[in-house]
Amino acid sequence: MTVDPAHDWQDRIDQAEKRLGEVETLMETFLADDPYGIVRETKPQGGNRFVLIARMTEHKQVPRQVSILLAEIFGHLRSSLDHLMDALASDPATGDSPAGTQFPIFLDPPIFHGLDSKGNPKKGSGLYQMRGGAPAVQTLIEGMQPYHRGAAAASDPLWVLHRFAVIDKHKKPHLTGAVMEGGSIGIKNMWGVDLFLEHWGFAGPFHKGTQAGRIEFTVTQPDNFVVEMDAKFTYQVAFDPKGPGAGAPVVSTVQPLIAHLRGVVFPQLEPFV
């Protein structure tokens, strides 16, 4: 196979960045339409005690096109690595690379370094996937493996990308909806009551019904009392906290993956193509 070293994997990165720009535009339009809000509910607690609860509500869901574009983005990023590996492993005479060639990404060193009974790279191991590359190339790629980061291995950009790419083979990347980016919530007006307890805010992504604020109070003037909340928030669309995105905003999760390929992986390996 003939590979144009000036393009190919770089083209795939370019496409990923283009699609990410489309994702940003979609999300800006979505968020500008006030898709989230606050609903307030006052509940009696017995006697003259009450609680005012503010919960998040969802007026509309994140456009499905966002998930579709994200799946395409992760496909382009993973493909860019595999095409670079194919170029690095190609036989100069035939242009072909060994069967099973792909850019290895592993969290387990023994699996990466696996050997068969004859002492050859075991099929499915990292050594097997990059066996067509020069020794210097293999050394560099082994040094990029997430397992070298110890306790931080699961957050390594290559491993995060690998997990997103695996999810993409089975289903679109999970979006949780939103995370709070900024804003404020507090008491707008209050009279005829004694404030007993207040609690504002929450951590991480939210769903419909997530409690945003709570005020417990005692009514001192039953015929004339007011307790009003004032809430103003800004949001960002986020990944599911249970997935590789770990509940982080979409754009700030994807951009570092692209930067890692462009700024770390490619510059070290492209000289060997």
Side-chain angles (χ1 to χ4, degrees), residues 209-273:
T210 298
Q211 182 173 297
R214 176 186 178 94
I215 300 173
E216 296 183 28
F217 59 93
T218 300
V219 175
T220 58
Q221 300 179 34
D223 297 327
N224 184 28
F225 75 93
V226 171
V227 179
E228 295 180 345
M229 282 184 179
D230 185 33
K232 297 179 181 179
F233 297 124
T234 56
Y235 314 95
Q236 283 293 336
V237 177
F239 288 108
D240 190 319
K242 296 180 181 180
V250 168
V251 175
S252 61
T253 298
V254 178
Q255 284 177 334
L257 304 184
I258 295 174
H260 187 74
L261 299 192
R262 281 204 188 278
V264 178
V265 178
F266 291 174
Q268 294 186 62
L269 296 175
E270 286 178 329
F272 294 93
V273 176

Side-chain angles (χ1 to χ4, degrees), residues 77-98:
L77 295 180
R78 187 62 176 99
S79 178
S80 71
L81 289 171
D82 292 338
H83 279 264
L84 176 56
M85 187 69 249
D86 186 78
L88 292 165
S90 294
D91 186 300
T94 65
D96 296 326
S97 60

Side-chain angles (χ1 to χ4, degrees), residues 11-253:
D11 282 348
R12 282 161 174 75
I13 292 288
D14 291 342
Q15 284 298 310
E17 288 185 319
K18 180 179 179 181
R19 294 293 180 259
L20 185 58
E22 294 174 15
V23 167
E24 288 188 83
T25 299
L26 277 171
M27 292 193 305
E28 287 172 1
T29 301
F30 167 71
L31 293 171
D33 199 28
D34 294 325
Y36 307 109
I38 295 286
V39 292
R40 301 163 178 83
E41 180 183 12
T42 301
K43 294 182 177 181
Q45 300 294 293
N48 59 351
R49 294 277 296 276
F50 294 83
V51 60
L52 174 60
I53 300 175
R55 298 186 185 279
M56 304 304 299
T57 188
E58 183 181 63
H59 304 309
K60 59 167 57 177
Q61 294 184 333
V62 178
R64 291 184 62 190
Q65 185 65 15
V66 172
S67 288
I68 294 171
L69 287 171
L70 285 170
E72 183 179 344
I73 288 168
F74 295 126
H76 283 311
L77 295 180
R78 187 62 176 99
S79 178
S80 71
L81 289 171
D82 292 338
H83 279 264
L84 176 56
M85 187 69 249
D86 186 78
L88 292 165
S90 294
D91 186 300
T94 65
D96 296 326
S97 60
T101 294
Q102 67 181 79
F103 192 97
I105 302 175
F106 284 76
L107 206 61
D108 191 328
I111 297 178
F112 180 93
H113 293 281
L115 301 175
D116 62 19
S117 59
K118 297 181 180 180
N120 297 317
K122 186 176 182 180
K123 189 173 182 179
S125 69
L127 295 179
Y128 182 87
Q129 293 173 0
M130 66 176 185
R131 69 192 186 283
V137 167
Q138 295 190 35
T139 298
L140 285 171
I141 293 176
E142 193 282 330
M144 296 175 184
Q145 294 306 302
Y147 55 71
H148 285 295
R149 296 189 61 190
S155 62
D156 180 86
L158 288 178
W159 185 250
V160 173
L161 172 57
H162 171 75
R163 290 188 64 202
F164 271 124
V166 169
I167 288 175
D168 178 41
K169 292 180 180 179
H170 304 284
K171 50 191 174 183
K172 294 185 286 295
H174 285 293
L175 298 176
T176 192
V179 290
M180 195 75 70
E181 185 179 48
S184 63
I185 184 170
I187 299 174
K188 182 178 181 180
N189 292 306
M190 182 179 73
W191 64 78
V193 302
D194 287 334
L195 186 64
F196 175 67
L197 179 67
E198 62 177 318
H199 172 74
W200 309 112
F202 52 88
F206 65 82
H207 299 272
K208 183 177 180 180
T210 298
Q211 182 173 297
R214 176 186 178 94
I215 300 173
E216 296 183 28
F217 59 93
T218 300
V219 175
T220 58
Q221 300 179 34
D223 297 327
N224 184 28
F225 75 93
V226 171
V227 179
E228 295 180 345
M229 282 184 179
D230 185 33
K232 297 179 181 179
F233 297 124
T234 56
Y235 314 95
Q236 283 293 336
V237 177
F239 288 108
D240 190 319
K242 296 180 181 180
V250 168
V251 175
S252 61
T253 298

